[in-house]
Coordinates of all heavy atoms in Angstrom, one line a residue:
M1 N 4.8 43.1 56.9 CA 4.0 42.0 56.5 C 3.7 41.1 57.8 O 4.5 41.1 58.7 CB 4.6 41.2 55.4 CG 5.7 40.2 55.9 SD 6.5 39.3 54.5 CE 5.2 38.4 53.8
I2 N 2.6 40.4 57.7 CA 2.2 39.5 58.7 C 2.2 38.1 58.1 O 1.6 38.0 57.0 CB 0.9 39.8 59.3 CG1 0.9 41.2 60.0 CG2 0.5 38.7 60.4 CD1 -0.5 41.6 60.4
V3 N 2.8 37.1 58.7 CA 2.7 35.7 58.1 C 2.3 34.8 59.2 O 2.8 34.9 60.3 CB 4.2 35.3 57.6 CG1 4.2 33.8 57.3 CG2 4.6 36.1 56.4
A4 N 1.3 34.0 58.9 CA 0.8 33.0 59.8 C 1.3 31.7 59.1 O 1.1 31.5 57.9 CB -0.7 32.9 59.9
F5 N 2.1 30.9 59.8 CA 2.6 29.7 59.3 C 2.6 28.6 60.3 O 2.5 28.7 61.5 CB 4.0 29.9 58.7 CG 5.1 30.0 59.7 CD1 6.0 28.9 59.9 CD2 5.3 31.2 60.5 CE1 7.0 29.0 60.8 CE2 6.3 31.2 61.4 CZ 7.2 30.2 61.6
S6 N 2.6 27.4 59.7 CA 2.7 26.1 60.5 C 3.8 25.2 59.9 O 3.8 25.1 58.6 CB 1.3 25.5 60.4 OG 1.4 24.2 61.0
V7 N 4.6 24.7 60.7 CA 5.6 23.7 60.3 C 5.4 22.5 61.1 O 5.2 22.6 62.3 CB 7.0 24.2 60.3 CG1 7.3 25.3 59.3 CG2 7.4 24.8 61.7
S8 N 5.5 21.4 60.5 CA 5.3 20.1 61.2 C 6.1 19.0 60.6 O 6.2 18.9 59.3 CB 3.8 19.7 61.2 OG 3.6 18.6 62.0
P9 N 6.8 18.2 61.4 CA 7.5 17.1 60.8 C 6.6 16.0 60.3 O 5.5 15.8 60.8 CB 8.4 16.6 62.0 CG 7.6 17.0 63.2 CD 6.8 18.2 62.9
L10 N 7.1 15.3 59.3 CA 6.4 14.2 58.7 C 7.3 13.0 58.8 O 8.5 13.1 58.6 CB 6.0 14.5 57.3 CG 5.1 15.6 57.0 CD1 4.9 15.9 55.5 CD2 3.7 15.4 57.7
G11 N 6.7 11.8 59.1 CA 7.5 10.6 59.1 C 8.2 10.3 60.5 O 9.1 9.5 60.6
V12 N 7.7 11.0 61.5 CA 8.3 10.8 62.8 C 7.3 10.2 63.9 O 7.6 10.2 65.0 CB 9.0 12.1 63.4 CG1 10.1 12.5 62.4 CG2 8.0 13.2 63.5
G13 N 6.1 9.9 63.4 CA 5.1 9.4 64.4 C 4.1 10.5 64.7 O 4.2 11.7 64.2
A14 N 3.3 10.2 65.7 CA 2.2 11.1 66.1 C 2.6 12.3 67.0 O 2.0 13.3 67.0 CB 1.1 10.3 66.8
D15 N 3.7 12.1 67.8 CA 4.1 13.1 68.7 C 5.1 14.1 68.0 O 6.2 13.8 67.9 CB 4.8 12.5 70.0 CG 5.1 13.5 71.0 OD1 4.7 14.7 70.9 OD2 5.8 13.2 72.0
V16 N 4.6 15.2 67.6 CA 5.4 16.2 66.9 C 5.7 17.4 67.8 O 6.4 18.4 67.3 CB 4.7 16.7 65.6 CG1 4.5 15.5 64.7 CG2 3.3 17.3 65.9
G17 N 5.2 17.4 69.0 CA 5.3 18.6 69.9 C 6.7 19.1 70.1 O 7.0 20.3 70.1
R18 N 7.6 18.2 70.4 CA 9.0 18.6 70.6 C 9.7 19.3 69.4 O 10.3 20.3 69.5 CB 9.9 17.3 71.0 CG 11.3 17.7 71.5 CD 12.1 16.5 72.0 NE 11.4 15.8 73.1 CZ 11.4 16.2 74.4 NH1 12.0 17.3 74.7 NH2 10.8 15.5 75.3
A19 N 9.5 18.7 68.2 CA 10.0 19.3 67.0 C 9.4 20.7 66.8 O 10.1 21.7 66.4 CB 9.8 18.5 65.8
V20 N 8.0 20.8 67.0 CA 7.4 22.1 66.7 C 7.9 23.1 67.8 O 8.1 24.3 67.4 CB 5.8 21.9 66.8 CG1 5.1 23.3 66.8 CG2 5.4 21.0 65.7
A21 N 8.1 22.6 69.0 CA 8.7 23.6 70.0 C 10.0 24.2 69.6 O 10.2 25.4 69.8 CB 8.8 22.9 71.3
E22 N 10.8 23.4 68.9 CA 12.1 23.9 68.4 C 11.9 25.0 67.4 O 12.6 26.0 67.3 CB 13.0 22.8 67.9 CG 13.5 21.8 69.0 CD 14.2 22.7 70.2 OE1 15.0 23.5 69.9 OE2 13.8 22.4 71.3
A23 N 10.9 24.8 66.5 CA 10.6 25.8 65.5 C 10.1 27.1 66.1 O 10.5 28.2 65.8 CB 9.5 25.2 64.5
V24 N 9.2 26.9 67.1 CA 8.7 28.1 67.9 C 9.8 28.8 68.6 O 9.8 30.1 68.6 CB 7.5 27.7 68.8 CG1 7.1 28.8 69.7 CG2 6.3 27.2 68.0
R25 N 10.8 28.1 69.1 CA 11.9 28.7 69.8 C 12.7 29.6 68.9 O 13.1 30.7 69.2 CB 12.8 27.5 70.3 CG 13.9 28.0 71.2 CD 14.8 26.9 71.7 NE 14.2 25.7 72.1 CZ 13.7 25.5 73.4 NH1 13.7 26.5 74.3 NH2 13.1 24.4 73.7
V26 N 12.8 29.1 67.6 CA 13.5 30.0 66.6 C 12.7 31.3 66.4 O 13.3 32.4 66.3 CB 13.6 29.2 65.2 CG1 14.0 30.1 64.1 CG2 14.6 28.1 65.4
V27 N 11.4 31.2 66.3 CA 10.5 32.4 66.1 C 10.7 33.3 67.2 O 11.0 34.5 67.1 CB 9.1 32.0 65.9 CG1 8.2 33.2 65.8 CG2 8.9 31.2 64.6
R28 N 10.6 32.8 68.4 CA 10.7 33.7 69.6 C 12.1 34.3 69.8 O 12.2 35.5 70.2 CB 10.3 32.9 70.9 CG 8.9 32.6 70.8 CD 8.4 31.8 72.1 NE 6.9 31.5 72.0 CZ 6.3 30.8 72.8 NH1 6.9 30.3 73.9 NH2 5.0 30.6 72.6
A29 N 13.1 33.6 69.4 CA 14.5 34.1 69.5 C 14.7 35.3 68.4 O 15.7 36.0 68.5 CB 15.5 33.0 69.3
S30 N 13.9 35.3 67.4 CA 14.0 36.3 66.3 C 13.9 37.8 66.8 O 14.4 38.7 66.2 CB 13.0 36.0 65.2 OG 11.8 36.5 65.5
G31 N 13.1 37.9 67.9 CA 12.8 39.3 68.3 C 11.7 40.0 67.6 O 11.3 41.1 68.0
L32 N 11.2 39.3 66.6 CA 10.0 39.9 65.9 C 8.7 39.7 66.6 O 8.6 38.7 67.4 CB 9.9 39.3 64.5 CG 11.1 39.6 63.5 CD1 10.9 38.8 62.2 CD2 11.2 41.1 63.2
P33 N 7.8 40.6 66.5 CA 6.4 40.3 67.2 C 5.9 39.0 66.7 O 5.9 38.7 65.5 CB 5.6 41.5 66.6 CG 6.5 42.6 66.3 CD 7.8 41.8 65.8
N34 N 5.4 38.2 67.6 CA 4.9 36.8 67.2 C 3.9 36.4 68.3 O 3.8 36.8 69.4 CB 6.0 35.8 67.1 CG 6.8 35.5 68.4 OD1 6.3 34.7 69.1 ND2 7.8 36.3 68.6
E35 N 3.0 35.4 67.8 CA 2.0 34.7 68.7 C 1.9 33.3 68.2 O 2.0 33.1 67.0 CB 0.7 35.5 68.6 CG 0.7 36.8 69.1 CD -0.7 37.5 68.9 OE1 -1.7 36.8 68.3 OE2 -0.9 38.6 69.3
T36 N 1.8 32.4 69.1 CA 1.6 31.0 68.7 C 0.2 30.5 69.3 O 0.0 30.8 70.4 CB 2.7 30.1 69.2 OG1 3.9 30.6 68.6 CG2 2.5 28.7 68.9
N37 N -0.5 29.8 68.5 CA -1.8 29.2 69.0 C -1.7 27.7 68.6 O -0.7 27.2 68.1 CB -3.0 29.9 68.5 CG -3.1 29.9 67.0 OD1 -2.9 28.9 66.3 ND2 -3.5 31.0 66.4
A38 N -2.8 27.0 68.8 CA -2.8 25.6 68.5 C -2.6 25.2 67.1 O -2.1 24.1 66.8 CB -4.2 25.0 69.0
M39 N -2.8 26.1 66.1 CA -2.6 25.7 64.7 C -1.5 26.4 64.0 O -1.0 25.9 63.0 CB -4.0 26.0 64.0 CG -5.1 25.1 64.5 SD -4.9 23.4 64.1 CE -5.1 23.5 62.4
F40 N -1.2 27.7 64.3 CA -0.3 28.5 63.6 C 0.6 29.4 64.5 O 0.2 29.7 65.6 CB -1.0 29.5 62.7 CG -1.6 28.8 61.5 CD1 -3.0 28.4 61.5 CD2 -0.9 28.6 60.3 CE1 -3.5 27.8 60.4 CE2 -1.5 28.0 59.2 CZ -2.8 27.6 59.3
T41 N 1.7 29.8 64.0 CA 2.5 30.9 64.6 C 2.4 32.1 63.6 O 2.5 31.9 62.4 CB 3.9 30.4 64.8 OG1 4.0 29.4 65.8 CG2 4.8 31.6 65.3
T42 N 2.2 33.2 64.2 CA 2.0 34.4 63.4 C 3.3 35.3 63.8 O 3.6 35.5 64.9 CB 0.7 35.2 63.7 OG1 -0.4 34.3 63.5 CG2 0.6 36.4 62.9
I43 N 3.9 35.9 62.7 CA 5.0 36.7 62.9 C 4.9 38.0 62.0 O 4.3 37.9 61.0 CB 6.3 35.9 62.7 CG1 7.6 36.6 62.9 CG2 6.3 35.4 61.2 CD1 8.9 35.8 63.0
E44 N 5.5 39.1 62.5 CA 5.3 40.3 61.8 C 6.7 41.0 61.6 O 7.5 41.1 62.5 CB 4.4 41.3 62.5 CG 4.1 42.6 61.8 CD 3.0 43.4 62.4 OE1 2.7 43.2 63.6 OE2 2.6 44.3 61.7
G45 N 6.9 41.5 60.4 CA 8.2 42.2 60.2 C 8.3 42.5 58.7 O 7.3 42.4 57.9
E46 N 9.5 42.9 58.3 CA 9.8 43.1 56.8 C 9.9 41.7 56.1 O 10.3 40.7 56.8 CB 11.0 43.9 56.7 CG 10.9 45.3 57.2 CD 9.8 46.1 56.6 OE1 9.7 46.1 55.3 OE2 9.1 46.9 57.2
W47 N 9.6 41.7 54.8 CA 9.7 40.5 54.0 C 10.9 39.6 54.3 O 10.8 38.4 54.7 CB 9.6 40.9 52.5 CG 9.7 39.7 51.6 CD1 10.7 39.0 51.3 CD2 8.5 39.0 51.0 NE1 10.4 37.9 50.4 CE2 9.0 38.0 50.3 CE3 7.2 39.3 51.0 CZ2 8.2 37.1 49.5 CZ3 6.3 38.4 50.2 CH2 6.9 37.4 49.5
D48 N 12.1 40.2 54.1 CA 13.3 39.4 54.2 C 13.5 38.8 55.6 O 13.9 37.6 55.8 CB 14.5 40.2 53.8 CG 14.6 40.5 52.3 OD1 13.9 39.8 51.5 OD2 15.3 41.4 51.9
E49 N 13.2 39.6 56.6 CA 13.4 39.0 58.0 C 12.4 38.0 58.4 O 12.7 37.0 59.0 CB 13.5 40.2 59.0 CG 12.3 41.1 59.2 CD 12.5 42.3 60.0 OE1 13.5 42.5 60.6 OE2 11.5 43.0 60.1
V50 N 11.1 38.2 58.0 CA 10.0 37.2 58.3 C 10.4 35.9 57.5 O 10.3 34.8 58.1 CB 8.7 37.8 58.0 CG1 7.6 36.7 58.0 CG2 8.3 38.9 58.9
M51 N 10.7 36.0 56.3 CA 10.9 34.8 55.5 C 12.2 34.1 56.0 O 12.2 32.9 56.0 CB 11.0 35.1 54.0 CG 9.7 35.5 53.4 SD 8.4 34.2 53.7 CE 7.1 34.9 52.9
A52 N 13.1 34.8 56.4 CA 14.3 34.2 57.0 C 14.0 33.3 58.3 O 14.5 32.2 58.5 CB 15.4 35.2 57.3
V53 N 13.1 33.9 59.1 CA 12.6 33.1 60.3 C 11.8 31.9 59.9 O 12.0 30.9 60.5 CB 11.9 34.1 61.2 CG1 11.3 33.3 62.4 CG2 12.8 35.2 61.8
V54 N 11.0 32.0 58.9 CA 10.2 30.9 58.4 C 11.2 29.8 58.0 O 11.0 28.6 58.3 CB 9.2 31.3 57.3 CG1 8.6 30.0 56.7 CG2 8.1 32.2 57.9
K55 N 12.2 30.2 57.2 CA 13.2 29.2 56.8 C 14.0 28.6 57.9 O 14.1 27.4 58.0 CB 14.2 29.8 55.8 CG 15.2 28.8 55.3 CD 16.2 29.4 54.3 CE 17.1 28.4 53.7 NZ 17.5 27.2 54.6
Q56 N 14.3 29.3 58.9 CA 15.0 28.8 60.1 C 14.1 27.9 60.9 O 14.6 26.8 61.4 CB 15.5 29.9 61.0 CG 16.6 30.8 60.4 CD 16.9 32.0 61.1 OE1 16.3 32.3 62.1 NE2 17.8 32.9 60.6
A57 N 12.8 28.2 61.0 CA 11.9 27.3 61.7 C 11.7 26.0 60.9 O 11.7 24.9 61.5 CB 10.6 28.0 61.9
T58 N 11.7 26.1 59.6 CA 11.6 24.9 58.7 C 12.9 24.1 58.9 O 12.8 22.8 59.0 CB 11.4 25.3 57.3 OG1 10.2 26.1 57.2 CG2 11.3 24.1 56.4
D59 N 14.0 24.7 58.9 CA 15.3 24.0 59.1 C 15.3 23.3 60.5 O 15.9 22.2 60.6 CB 16.5 24.9 59.0 CG 16.7 25.4 57.5 OD1 16.1 24.7 56.6 OD2 17.4 26.4 57.3
A60 N 14.7 23.9 61.5 CA 14.7 23.2 62.8 C 13.9 22.0 62.7 O 14.2 21.0 63.4 CB 14.1 24.2 63.8
I61 N 12.8 21.9 62.0 CA 12.0 20.7 61.8 C 12.9 19.7 61.0 O 12.9 18.5 61.3 CB 10.7 21.0 61.0 CG1 9.8 21.9 61.9 CG2 10.0 19.7 60.7 CD1 9.3 21.3 63.1
L62 N 13.5 20.1 59.9 CA 14.3 19.2 59.1 C 15.5 18.6 59.8 O 16.0 17.6 59.4 CB 14.7 19.9 57.8 CG 13.5 20.2 56.8 CD1 14.0 21.0 55.7 CD2 12.9 18.8 56.3
A63 N 15.9 19.3 60.9 CA 17.0 18.8 61.7 C 16.7 17.5 62.4 O 17.5 16.7 62.8 CB 17.5 19.8 62.7
V64 N 15.3 17.3 62.6 CA 14.9 16.1 63.4 C 13.9 15.2 62.6 O 13.4 14.2 63.1 CB 14.2 16.5 64.7 CG1 15.3 17.2 65.6 CG2 13.0 17.3 64.5
S65 N 13.7 15.6 61.3 CA 12.7 14.8 60.5 C 13.2 14.8 59.1 O 13.7 15.8 58.5 CB 11.4 15.5 60.6 OG 10.4 15.0 59.8
P66 N 12.9 13.7 58.3 CA 13.3 13.6 56.9 C 12.4 14.5 56.0 O 12.8 14.7 54.8 CB 13.1 12.2 56.6 CG 12.1 11.7 57.5 CD 12.3 12.5 58.8
R67 N 11.3 15.0 56.5 CA 10.3 15.7 55.7 C 9.6 16.8 56.6 O 9.4 16.5 57.8 CB 9.3 14.7 55.1 CG 8.4 15.2 54.0 CD 7.7 14.0 53.5 NE 6.7 14.5 52.5 CZ 5.8 13.7 52.0 NH1 5.8 12.4 52.4 NH2 4.9 14.1 51.1
C68 N 9.2 17.9 56.0 CA 8.5 18.9 56.7 C 7.3 19.5 55.9 O 7.4 19.7 54.7 CB 9.5 20.1 57.0 SG 8.8 21.5 57.8
S69 N 6.2 19.6 56.6 CA 5.0 20.3 56.0 C 5.1 21.7 56.4 O 5.2 22.0 57.6 CB 3.8 19.6 56.6 OG 2.6 20.4 56.2
L70 N 4.9 22.6 55.4 CA 4.9 24.1 55.7 C 3.6 24.6 55.1 O 3.3 24.4 53.9 CB 6.1 24.7 55.1 CG 6.0 26.3 55.0 CD1 6.0 26.9 56.4 CD2 7.3 26.8 54.2
V71 N 2.8 25.3 55.9 CA 1.6 26.0 55.4 C 1.9 27.4 55.8 O 2.2 27.8 56.9 CB 0.3 25.5 56.2 CG1 -0.9 26.4 55.7 CG2 0.1 24.0 55.9
L72 N 1.6 28.4 54.8 CA 2.0 29.8 55.0 C 0.8 30.7 54.4 O 0.4 30.4 53.3 CB 3.3 30.0 54.4 CG 3.9 31.5 54.6 CD1 5.4 31.3 54.7 CD2 3.5 32.3 53.4
K73 N 0.4 31.7 55.2 CA -0.5 32.7 54.7 C 0.1 34.1 55.1 O 0.5 34.2 56.2 CB -1.9 32.5 55.4 CG -2.8 33.6 54.9 CD -4.2 33.4 55.5 CE -5.2 34.4 55.0 NZ -6.5 34.3 55.5
A74 N 0.1 35.0 54.1 CA 0.8 36.3 54.3 C -0.2 37.4 54.0 O -1.0 37.4 53.0 CB 2.0 36.4 53.4
D75 N -0.1 38.5 54.8 CA -0.8 39.8 54.5 C 0.4 40.8 54.3 O 1.1 41.1 55.2 CB -1.6 40.2 55.8 CG -2.3 41.5 55.6 OD1 -2.2 42.2 54.5 OD2 -3.1 41.9 56.5
I76 N 0.5 41.2 53.0 CA 1.6 42.1 52.6 C 1.1 43.4 52.4 O 0.4 43.7 51.4 CB 2.3 41.5 51.3 CG1 2.8 40.0 51.6 CG2 3.5 42.4 50.9 CD1 3.0 39.3 50.3
R77 N 1.4 44.3 53.4 CA 1.0 45.7 53.3 C 2.2 46.6 53.6 O 2.4 46.9 54.8 CB -0.2 46.0 54.3 CG -1.4 45.3 53.9 CD -2.5 45.5 54.9 NE -3.0 46.9 54.8 CZ -3.8 47.5 55.7 NH1 -4.2 46.8 56.7 NH2 -4.1 48.7 55.6
P78 N 2.9 47.0 52.6 CA 4.1 47.8 52.9 C 3.7 49.1 53.6 O 2.8 49.7 53.4 CB 4.6 48.2 51.5 CG 4.1 47.1 50.6 CD 2.7 46.7 51.2
G79 N 4.6 49.4 54.6 CA 4.5 50.6 55.4 C 3.6 50.4 56.6 O 3.5 51.3 57.5
V80 N 2.9 49.3 56.8 CA 2.1 49.1 57.9 C 2.8 48.3 59.0 O 3.5 47.4 58.7 CB 0.8 48.2 57.5 CG1 0.0 47.9 58.8 CG2 -0.1 49.0 56.6
T81 N 2.8 48.8 60.2 CA 3.4 48.2 61.3 C 2.3 47.9 62.4 O 1.3 48.6 62.4 CB 4.6 49.1 62.0 OG1 4.0 50.3 62.3 CG2 5.7 49.3 60.9
E82 N 2.7 47.1 63.3 CA 1.8 46.7 64.4 C 0.5 46.2 63.9 O -0.6 46.3 64.6 CB 1.6 47.9 65.4 CG 2.9 48.3 66.1 CD 2.7 49.2 67.2 OE1 1.5 49.4 67.7 OE2 3.6 49.8 67.6
G83 N 0.4 45.6 62.7 CA -0.8 45.0 62.2 C -1.4 43.9 63.0 O -2.6 43.7 63.1
M84 N -0.5 43.1 63.6 CA -1.0 42.0 64.5 C -1.9 42.5 65.6 O -2.9 41.9 66.0 CB 0.1 41.2 65.1 CG 0.8 40.2 64.2 SD 2.3 39.4 64.8 CE 1.7 38.7 66.3
K85 N -1.5 43.7 66.1 CA -2.3 44.3 67.2 C -3.5 45.0 66.7 O -4.6 44.9 67.1 CB -1.4 45.2 68.0 CG -2.0 46.0 69.1 CD -1.0 46.9 69.7 CE -1.7 47.9 70.7 NZ -0.8 48.9 71.2
T86 N -3.3 45.9 65.7 CA -4.4 46.8 65.3 C -5.5 46.1 64.5 O -6.7 46.5 64.6 CB -3.8 47.9 64.3 OG1 -3.1 47.4 63.2 CG2 -2.8 48.8 65.1
K87 N -5.1 45.0 63.8 CA -6.3 44.3 63.1 C -7.2 43.6 64.1 O -8.4 43.6 64.0 CB -5.7 43.2 62.2 CG -5.0 43.8 61.0 CD -4.3 42.7 60.1 CE -5.4 42.0 59.3 NZ -4.7 41.1 58.3
V88 N -6.6 43.1 65.2 CA -7.5 42.5 66.3 C -8.2 43.6 67.0 O -9.4 43.4 67.3 CB -6.6 41.6 67.2 CG1 -7.4 41.2 68.4 CG2 -5.9 40.5 66.5
E89 N -7.6 44.7 67.3 CA -8.3 45.8 68.0 C -9.5 46.2 67.2 O -10.6 46.5 67.7 CB -7.3 46.9 68.2 CG -6.4 46.7 69.3 CD -5.3 47.8 69.5 OE1 -5.2 48.6 68.5 OE2 -4.6 47.7 70.5
A90 N -9.4 46.3 65.8 CA -10.5 46.8 65.0 C -11.7 45.8 65.1 O -12.8 46.2 65.3 CB -10.1 46.9 63.5
V91 N -11.4 44.5 65.0 CA -12.4 43.5 65.1 C -13.1 43.6 66.5 O -14.3 43.5 66.6 CB -11.9 42.1 64.9 CG1 -12.9 41.0 65.2 CG2 -11.5 41.9 63.4
E92 N -12.3 43.7 67.6 CA -12.9 43.8 68.9 C -13.8 45.0 69.1 O -14.8 45.0 69.7 CB -11.7 43.8 70.0 CG -11.0 42.5 70.1 CD -11.9 41.4 70.6 OE1 -12.9 41.6 71.3 OE2 -11.5 40.2 70.3
R93 N -13.4 46.1 68.5 CA -14.1 47.4 68.5 C -15.5 47.2 67.8 O -16.5 47.6 68.3 CB -13.4 48.5 67.8 CG -13.9 49.9 68.0 CD -12.9 51.0 67.5 NE -12.5 50.7 66.1 CZ -11.2 50.4 65.8 NH1 -10.3 50.2 66.7 NH2 -10.9 50.2 64.5
Y94 N -15.5 46.4 66.7 CA -16.8 46.2 66.0 C -17.7 45.2 66.8 O -18.9 45.3 66.8 CB -16.5 45.6 64.6 CG -16.0 46.6 63.6 CD1 -14.8 46.4 63.0 CD2 -16.7 47.7 63.3 CE1 -14.3 47.3 62.1 CE2 -16.2 48.7 62.4 CZ -15.0 48.5 61.8 OH -14.5 49.4 60.9
L95 N -17.0 44.3 67.5 CA -17.8 43.3 68.3 C -18.5 44.0 69.5 O -19.5 43.5 69.9 CB -16.9 42.2 68.9 CG -16.4 41.2 67.8 CD1 -15.4 40.3 68.4 CD2 -17.6 40.4 67.3
T96 N -18.0 45.1 70.0 CA -18.6 45.8 71.1 C -19.7 46.8 70.7 O -20.4 47.3 71.5 CB -17.5 46.6 72.0 OG1 -16.8 47.5 71.2 CG2 -16.5 45.6 72.5
E97 N -19.8 47.1 69.4 CA -20.8 48.0 68.9 C -22.2 47.3 69.0 O -22.3 46.1 68.9 CB -20.6 48.3 67.4 CG -19.4 49.3 67.3 CD -19.1 49.6 65.8 OE1 -19.9 49.1 64.9 OE2 -18.2 50.4 65.5
E98 N -23.2 48.1 69.2 CA -24.5 47.6 69.2 C -24.9 47.1 67.9 O -24.7 47.7 66.9 CB -25.5 48.7 69.7 CG -26.9 48.2 69.9 CD -27.8 49.2 70.5 OE1 -27.3 50.0 71.4 OE2 -29.0 49.3 70.1
Q99 N -25.5 45.9 67.9 CA -26.0 45.3 66.6 C -27.2 46.0 66.1 O -28.1 46.2 66.9 CB -26.2 43.8 66.8 CG -25.0 43.0 67.3 CD -24.0 43.0 66.1 OE1 -24.3 42.7 65.0 NE2 -22.8 43.3 66.5
P100 N -27.3 46.2 64.8 CA -28.6 46.8 64.2 C -29.7 45.8 64.3 O -29.5 44.6 64.3 CB -28.2 47.0 62.8 CG -27.0 46.3 62.5 CD -26.3 46.0 63.8
R101 N -30.9 46.3 64.5 CA -32.1 45.4 64.7 C -32.9 45.4 63.4 O -33.0 46.1 62.6 CB -33.0 45.9 65.8 CG -32.3 45.7 67.1 CD -33.1 46.3 68.2 NE -32.3 46.2 69.4 CZ -32.7 45.6 70.5 NH1 -33.9 45.2 70.7 NH2 -31.9 45.6 71.6

């Protein structure tokens, strides 16, 4: 499965970067394929391992904040691996095709 998620502390002011960095640190330490951008962190693996990392990342936020916002989107396709890579490759392949007139 692929999960795109965002965790952010609430009630700690406008600067949330340090807390979010701790959550991303948890994801990167997991060893699962992952990417982080300005809005979400995407992680790929089996259900139990991915959800365990999401919980640990949430716990990292709750360690420094009384409240946490969690947004999560999942693509659940049993048996599919390297989806983070192959899905993007497919889109890039279509982008390079000549457009019909």
